[in-house]
Amino acid sequence: MIHLLLVRLRVNWLRVTALVLGVAAATTSFIVLTGQVAEQRLELRGRVSAPDRPSYDILVRPANSRTETERNQALVRPNFLAGQFGGITLRQWREIQRLDGVEVAAPIAMVGYLMQRVEIPIDLTEHLTSDGPQLFTASINRHTARGLSVFDRQDISFSYVTPEPVGLGGTPDDLSMYGVAIVGPDGRRLRLVCPTRPPATGGPFEARNQRNGTCWSRTNGRNGQGFIGLPEGHAGLIVRWNFPFLLAAVDPEQEAKLAGLDRAVTRGRYLPQTWAGVGPDRRTVPVLMAEQAGLDILDEVSIQRLSPAAAAQFGAGLTSAQLDALVEREGGERVPGARITAQGAYQRMLSDRLRSGSPDLLVDSYWTSDPVDYDTEPDGSLRPRPVINPPSVWEAPVNGTGYVAVPPEAADTAFRRLHHHPVLPVAEDQPGAWLRVIGAFDQSRLTEGSTQALGGYRTEPLAPADPASSAHLRGQPLLPDSNFAGYLLPAPTMLTSLEAAALFTDSSVFTDVSDAKPISAIKVRVAGVRGVDPVSRERVRLVAEAVASATGLDVDVTVGSSPTSRRILLPAGSAGSVNRPELLLSEQWQRKGVVVTVLRAVDRKSLLLFVLVLVVCGVFIANAAAAAARSPRMELSTLSCLGWSRGQLMRLLLGEMAVVGASAGLIGALAALAGAQALDVPVSTGRALAAVPAALAVTLLAAAWPVWRASLPTPLPGKSSTGWPRPVRGGGGRGGGSVGGPLRLAYRNLRGDSARTGLAMTAVAVGSAGLTGLLAITVAFRGSVVGSLLGDAISLQARRVDYLAVSITLLLAAIAVADVSYLNIRERREDLALLRAVGWTSSQLGRLITVEGLLIGLAGSGAGALLGLTVTALLAGSVPSSLWLLAGLTALTGTVISVLATLLTALSLPWLVRAPSLTED
């Protein structure tokens, strides 16, 4: 048997070589392509039970912005934006906006903390005891942290009340000689009574550096500028509040779509999408102010009326140092004071800013901060790590006072390192920085859904987590104060547009800034998401994967996110006259309902397309094996008559196929290694060597049925029949009548060998189905399609390697069609020679062969296009009109490929079909 096998291989070497090369090419393609089947993808892991959909589905943060605790425990820390200033470029935001499946991409850029001041007048008129000059001082005890911290500011403010008119005067170049002076009847400045304070020394929190005073005339008001905030003829004392505003920038259009910010405006107007600075020498920034300050601060103001002697001494004219010594030394009679809350002071400021004609607010500095670092306690609690900010972060070199006016609690324990960005000196050719309040918004009206901690507008208070802390706080939660270097911070209280906020990252306006990455986070809502069903989750996964792939940024999926408590051991305060003790608090972090995992996974759709390469290769092998088994029909019949069993005949034929498969596998393995190295595709030696058993298995499986049929015991065939039906007959042949035209004759020929025709059609159908699906995903569904099958969500995306696999499949299908056509010509050459003898020309015979290819192509590509259309439509749940056009285009492509393949085989007609063919048998 072995000798006979070798003889058959040697005699049929040309056919064997062609078969080996075909199988080797398919095997090589499969091995190399599967090197690309593994892709980086995002997976969502976890159970989701939340019934409501949040306002956004994906939170995009700067790359590597997650803390170790967040990464390890699938958490998002609360109010994380308070320590995230920039990190995402405008180009990355635009890329996310353009991604398929993105309905809304709302950026938020945390600009920084701006210090603004509001002055609150306290009416002293009823406490005036004479018509002469009088001097009042005010001491303020500021209470924060539910009263646990007290900051005592003795004699922090004073007011000199006089019946005489006053006005600004002196020498502006010499601050010690400039300020508020008594004005004589002729308008001359008689004597300086309230000198301008010199630049502060000794630090920003020294009492003298925070002290403010007013000269109040009952004739022309405060500092001679009118009765601001009080009735005509009244006198008062000014209490100053310094508010740190967290300014955030949004895209007005996107934020309106996502959170309904435009509908949350309660006073004034909404942010414009575009904004040009107002004024030739300065630029303004439009802002919305929040209706609520969100701060826990109470100022208790105690007022003293000093003696007439002290008032007379003050009115005689003192230097700033003498003035400080006087108000600190002299005692006086207590008069009723006032209690001022943060919300009350804030509302006054908001009303003042929204009043028509109110001046813009100058911004001479702003601050950014780092996130909080934690130490983990033995019981798992997180202890914020204190930091020390140097006094230089409060310097104010522009306004000449040495330090900016900051709230006293800013000196308390800090947990965030601050970065100061003072404005550059204002010159005629340099713009200043100004705020114009155009409206107010109510945070409670925003449609933030259930994920406020994932980038929302509200700060959750910290509840006590043990009896001792609960007792200190009297059962109430801890709220933020004005220490923006502290632990708990308020949410943004000022909003502007991204375009206008560019002023704060302009290096010609502020120091130590960059406009490279202004955005802190992007909130993405995915189109087509209805809840937490599998299909919606898959849509979210696809968009999250596309965002991560396109930008390299961190993505957090908000689907199913829920609050989870973390115990925070907050260190004690340190800067007050009474300090808050150490507290154990419960903080609401967000536990992500699903975890976004980046892993190396198999693209099953790509793997299926690669397998189709082997399927078409199997069709090619099956057809070749059938032809190889039919050609030695006389030889097999002779061996059967000599006593060879059916098993021996099958082993002979399968042995030949095994040699072909093993040889093709070995060649394919070597070619795969070379091709992978050339194309930089990861293909290991082990996987390349797997081509040998793979090629052998594919070859034997494809050849099994033809070999089984060929091994059937049959008598020796006579000369009158080859054992295969002749599709072409003369006038008295099967079917009666004449031969007919090319179309009818081609149909009869294909039907005469339905098995072979079916193989060719199958090859074309497989390639056409794959091409239809890929084109549908790319064109009709813009790159991806998501649907469900048997209750499981399935998503398909078109990749370049998929198109390569389909191209190889179509190429092998064309080879299969050409092989079928060639075998048909060779086995019917007597019939074709007869047609030639009765007058058919070579062009007519060529048209006959071409029509056969046309019929194969129409039937195969039509069925394949319909299959691809059906599968895609079932997954997508819809059939766009463009999908029918794509199916027709695919059917046309498969038909053209089949026709071209048969045209090539038609070139063999002159030497296969000749007159001697009629007498060869």
Side-chain angles (χ1 to χ4, degrees), residues 459-476:
T459 297
E460 295 296 326
L462 305 184
D466 66 351
S469 299
S470 182
H472 287 308
L473 293 168
R474 295 186 292 278
Q476 297 178 304

Side-chain angles (χ1 to χ4, degrees), residues 193-471:
V193 289
C194 290
T196 300
R197 302 195 66 81
T201 59
F205 301 104
E206 293 288 336
R208 294 189 177 189
N209 295 334
Q210 296 292 324
R211 181 171 291 130
N212 70 88
T214 305
C215 280
W216 206 296
S217 167
R218 301 189 68 181
T219 302
N220 60 354
R222 175 186 172 189
N223 296 334
Q225 304 297 308
F227 296 90
I228 302 172
L230 293 179
E232 183 92 12
H234 282 230
L237 180 145
I238 299 298
V239 174
R240 289 180 177 176
W241 274 66
N242 297 299
F243 279 105
F245 286 87
L246 177 54
L247 176 64
V250 299
D251 180 80
E253 179 181 338
Q254 296 292 304
E255 200 67 24
K257 291 179 180 179
L258 184 76
L261 181 59
D262 56 336
R263 298 187 299 275
V265 174
T266 55
R267 290 184 272 179
R269 57 191 174 93
Y270 187 53
L271 290 171
Q273 188 71 20
T274 59
W275 177 268
V278 178
D281 60 348
R282 66 178 184 178
R283 294 184 63 185
T284 58
V285 174
V287 295
L288 292 176
M289 283 180 60
E291 287 281 4
Q292 303 296 323
L295 301 175
D296 171 28
I297 305 174
L298 171 64
D299 274 4
E300 291 186 339
V301 183
S302 59
I303 302 174
Q304 289 183 320
R305 183 177 55 240
L306 303 189
S307 65
Q313 186 180 358
F314 188 101
L318 299 175
T319 65
S320 294
Q322 292 171 335
L323 185 152
D324 288 333
L326 176 65
V327 298
E328 292 171 4
R329 179 182 68 247
E330 292 288 334
E333 179 186 358
R334 292 179 65 91
V335 300
R339 291 167 60 91
I340 305 173
T341 64
Q343 184 61 23
Y346 182 87
Q347 283 296 320
R348 181 181 182 89
M349 181 180 189
L350 180 58
S351 298
D352 288 346
R353 292 303 100 201
L354 288 173
R355 190 175 58 248
S356 177
S358 176
D360 297 333
L361 299 172
L362 174 65
V363 177
D364 60 6
S365 295
Y366 76 91
W367 292 261
T368 56
S369 64
D370 293 339
V372 175
D373 291 324
Y374 297 91
D375 293 319
T376 303
E377 296 293 303
D379 63 353
S381 300
L382 299 179
R383 175 188 286 270
R385 191 177 303 160
V387 300
I388 297 176
N389 289 300
S392 58
V393 299
W394 307 113
E395 288 180 353
V398 175
N399 61 23
T401 60
Y403 295 99
V404 296
V406 293
E409 61 268 35
D412 208 358
T413 305
F415 303 99
R416 304 172 190 268
R417 197 167 301 281
L418 299 180
H419 304 279
H420 188 203
H421 307 281
V423 71
L424 292 171
V426 179
E428 293 183 0
D429 59 344
Q430 290 178 321
W434 303 82
L435 300 179
R436 175 167 296 178
V437 180
I438 63 172
F441 71 98
D442 186 351
Q443 302 98 314
S444 65
R445 296 188 183 184
L446 294 168
T447 55
E448 275 291 288
S450 61
T451 56
Q452 289 86 0
L454 293 180
Y457 289 101
R458 291 185 287 277
T459 297
E460 295 296 326
L462 305 184
D466 66 351
S469 299
S470 182

Side-chain angles (χ1 to χ4, degrees), residues 645-655 704 707-708 711:
S645 66
R646 188 179 182 185
Q648 289 175 306
L649 294 177
M650 287 185 66
R651 285 195 295 273
L652 174 64
L653 296 176
L654 287 177
V707 167
W708 185 84
S711 64

Side-chain angles (χ1 to χ4, degrees), residues 15 69 85 231 256 258 336 378 574 616 787 795 877 885 907 913:
R15 177 180 57 81
T69 302
F85 297 89
L258 184 76
S574 59
V616 177
S795 63
L885 179 61
L907 298 176
V913 179

